[in-house]
Amino acid sequence: MARPTHDLEYEQMLLSRHGLAHHQGGRPQGSTLERSAYILLSRIRIQGPMSIGELSEAFNLDASTLNRQTAAAMRAGLVERIPDPEGGMARKFRITDEGARILDVEREHMVDSLNRVMADWADEDIAAFASYLRRFNMDIERLAGRPWPRP
């Protein structure tokens, strides 16, 4: 008999194909965040200014990929380069006020989409689902040795 992880794999694959931000109503007016920028801004916001090396370690991506992503975010006015606040040699990326504003708009749109999808769910069921998803993510992070900061 197959473990329930076979069912989980299939449902995870289906989940990954949904563009939840586009569900019933599309993206919010003025929103331009790609998935990678959404995640990048979220990490910098919660952790504070980060260097390319720190971002590379956090995302397990090579520096050239992060250089492209941060350059695009800088051109869009979402992040800015600053001297290391702790006096280190590497310059760091900090989220701009505009980046924070756009991230807030995007996050609110995502919450609205989740509210529509889960309109018939009891709050207890949503909380249980969030708890299981948090546990799942934290176990992946533990195995990878890359914990993600949480608010």
Side-chain angles (χ1 to χ4, degrees), residues 2 5 9 12 33 42 65-66 71 75 80 85 88 100 109 119 129-130 143:
T5 50
E9 177 279 330
Q12 188 277 330
L33 284 185
S42 294
T65 300
L66 269 304
R75 282 191 304 274
E80 59 188 353
H109 186 70
F129 183 67
L143 290 172

Side-chain angles (χ1 to χ4, degrees), residues 3-117:
R3 287 195 69 195
T5 50
H6 288 283
D7 293 336
L8 179 60
E9 177 279 330
Y10 193 78
E11 293 303 326
Q12 188 277 330
M13 178 272 303
L14 291 175
L15 180 63
S16 69
R17 76 182 172 89
H18 296 296
L20 192 58
H22 300 263
H23 184 74
Q24 294 182 3
R27 298 179 82 101
Q29 183 113 3
S31 173
T32 58
L33 284 185
E34 300 273 334
R35 179 181 167 273
S36 61
Y38 183 81
I39 297 169
L40 177 78
L41 292 177
S42 294
R43 181 64 185 247
I44 292 171
R45 174 184 257 174
I46 198 162
Q47 187 164 336
M50 297 178 73
S51 68
I52 286 291
E54 291 167 332
L55 289 166
S56 179
E57 174 65 24
F59 288 101
N60 195 28
L61 294 171
D62 61 274
S64 64
T65 300
L66 269 304
N67 275 320
R68 285 191 299 276
Q69 289 181 1
T70 54
M74 280 182 56
R75 282 191 304 274
L78 304 174
V79 297
E80 59 188 353
R81 279 190 108 144
I82 61 167
D84 184 344
E86 295 160 13
M89 294 292 288
R91 294 179 58 81
K92 296 197 173 195
F93 292 93
R94 172 175 62 195
I95 191 169
T96 63
D97 289 343
E98 180 64 4
R101 185 194 69 74
I102 290 174
L103 181 59
D104 288 343
V105 168
E106 197 80 10
R107 185 159 282 141
E108 277 304 311
H109 186 70
M110 185 66 83
V111 169
D112 289 346
S113 293
L114 287 167
N115 282 330
R116 284 193 300 274
V117 169

